[in-house]
Amino acid sequence: KRFMKTMKCFRKTFQRLQGISSSSLADAYRNLNPAWPTVGSLGSSINPVHKIDRNTRLIGTALTVECYANNYGGLVSAMQYLRQNTGSIEETVLCVRTHGTKSVAGSLMSADFSRQGMQGLVVDGNIRDASGIRAMKQIFPVYARGIQPSAGKGDMPGTVGEPICMGEENVVVETGDIIVGDDDGVVVIKLMSNSVAAPETESIASDRMERLLAEAERIEAREEAVLKEIEDGNALLDCL
């Protein structure tokens, strides 16, 4: 329910996020230091595998998956879940926690996720078929901890929709969190504590998200202005 509600309430937010980098979101959170929403970086260990393009952004709502050791069955369970809930696919980002060293996804899964309209795939673990992912006609954002050719089995269902920890800082990712990725990496925007009273949730989350976005947009505008001054021949220290 949280997954579907987040997508419905924040579609306009997704549009604004198209013009905001992950770095500006992280800086905005640092400047404001709010209790909620929080912005957590998955760190330098989870990086883009897809073809790098400055216009390619990953923006959507997390659906969490946990795979058992050396087994990609959790992703199969997620595919089955999405088949039964087709209205969930359009703005979905699959966030996957794996255990073991085997790859859990590759170009075939990525192509099928892209075909369905999914926004992207973030794997705290290994994937394979990197060249196939980069050669896809339509860029499908895929982030992973590593690449290796050996895949695991798919006979254990794993879990779908439960909280997972991702990245070198063990960021807690929950279904319904907002995921933003670009060339710098991936950040997770957690809108509120689960302890917030339900009747207040939508209003509180919307107001707090607005403050975060406004600060991030201010940072983007300021950096653009400073860059123009540098390109006009001014020293960075004189522009600050």
Side-chain angles (χ1 to χ4, degrees):
K1 291 181 179 177
R2 184 171 181 257
F3 177 53
M4 296 299 292
K5 189 171 185 179
T6 302
M7 289 197 301
K8 182 178 179 181
C9 295
F10 291 96
R11 280 181 177 146
K12 290 184 179 179
T13 294
F14 293 162
Q15 294 173 359
R16 288 176 69 181
L17 284 169
Q18 291 288 347
I20 302 174
S21 70
S22 61
S23 298
S24 292
L25 287 167
D27 288 351
Y29 176 63
R30 178 201 62 202
N31 293 349
L32 297 175
N33 194 28
W36 303 101
T38 61
V39 179
S41 168
L42 297 190
S44 60
S45 61
I46 297 179
N47 295 295
V49 177
H50 56 275
K51 180 181 178 182
I52 298 297
D53 183 303
R54 64 181 300 177
N55 297 316
T56 298
R57 306 294 304 281
L58 171 63
I59 299 170
T61 304
L63 176 61
T64 58
V65 179
E66 186 154 17
C67 294
Y68 294 121
N70 296 319
N71 201 290
Y72 61 83
L75 276 164
V76 176
S77 296
M79 294 167 74
Q80 293 168 342
Y81 169 85
L82 290 168
R83 175 175 283 182
Q84 296 167 2
N85 298 270
T86 54
S88 307
I89 295 176
E90 184 179 350
E91 283 148 344
T92 300
V93 176
L94 275 187
C95 294
V96 185
R97 172 65 184 266
T98 72
H99 301 274
T101 60
K102 301 293 187 183
S103 294
V104 297
S107 59
L108 297 182
M109 272 194 187
S110 297
D112 191 52
F113 291 149
S114 179
R115 176 191 63 81
Q116 295 177 70
M118 193 180 296
Q119 294 302 302
L121 176 65
V122 182
V123 180
D124 190 347
N126 292 324
I127 66 163
R128 65 180 187 176
D129 303 334
S131 60
I133 291 170
R134 292 172 185 143
M136 290 172 62
K137 291 182 179 179
Q138 181 174 343
I139 296 177
F140 180 71
V142 177
Y143 294 78
R145 185 179 286 273
I147 301 167
Q148 79 110 320
S150 179
K153 296 182 179 180
D155 56 348
M156 300 177 71
T159 62
V160 178
E162 298 298 322
I164 58 176
C165 291
M166 298 187 73
E168 55 199 25
E169 297 181 10
N170 286 319
V171 174
V172 177
V173 183
E174 298 179 87
T175 289
D177 290 345
I178 293 177
I179 307 299
V180 178
D182 53 24
D183 293 356
D184 285 345
V186 178
V187 295
V188 179
I189 303 175
K190 190 174 295 295
L191 299 173
M192 67 202 76
S193 166
N194 286 334
S195 64
V196 174
E200 301 176 319
T201 294
E202 184 176 333
S203 174
I204 290 174
S206 180
D207 289 346
R208 290 174 173 172
M209 190 68 180
E210 173 59 35
R211 290 199 291 271
L212 180 72
L213 291 176
E215 175 64 9
E217 288 168 340
R218 184 195 67 78
I219 292 169
E220 289 277 337
R222 174 58 181 156
E223 291 198 351
E224 184 176 345
V226 170
L227 179 59
K228 186 176 186 308
E229 290 184 49
I230 293 172
E231 290 173 341
D232 288 341
N234 297 295
L236 174 59
L237 288 176
D238 296 330
C239 300
L240 298 177

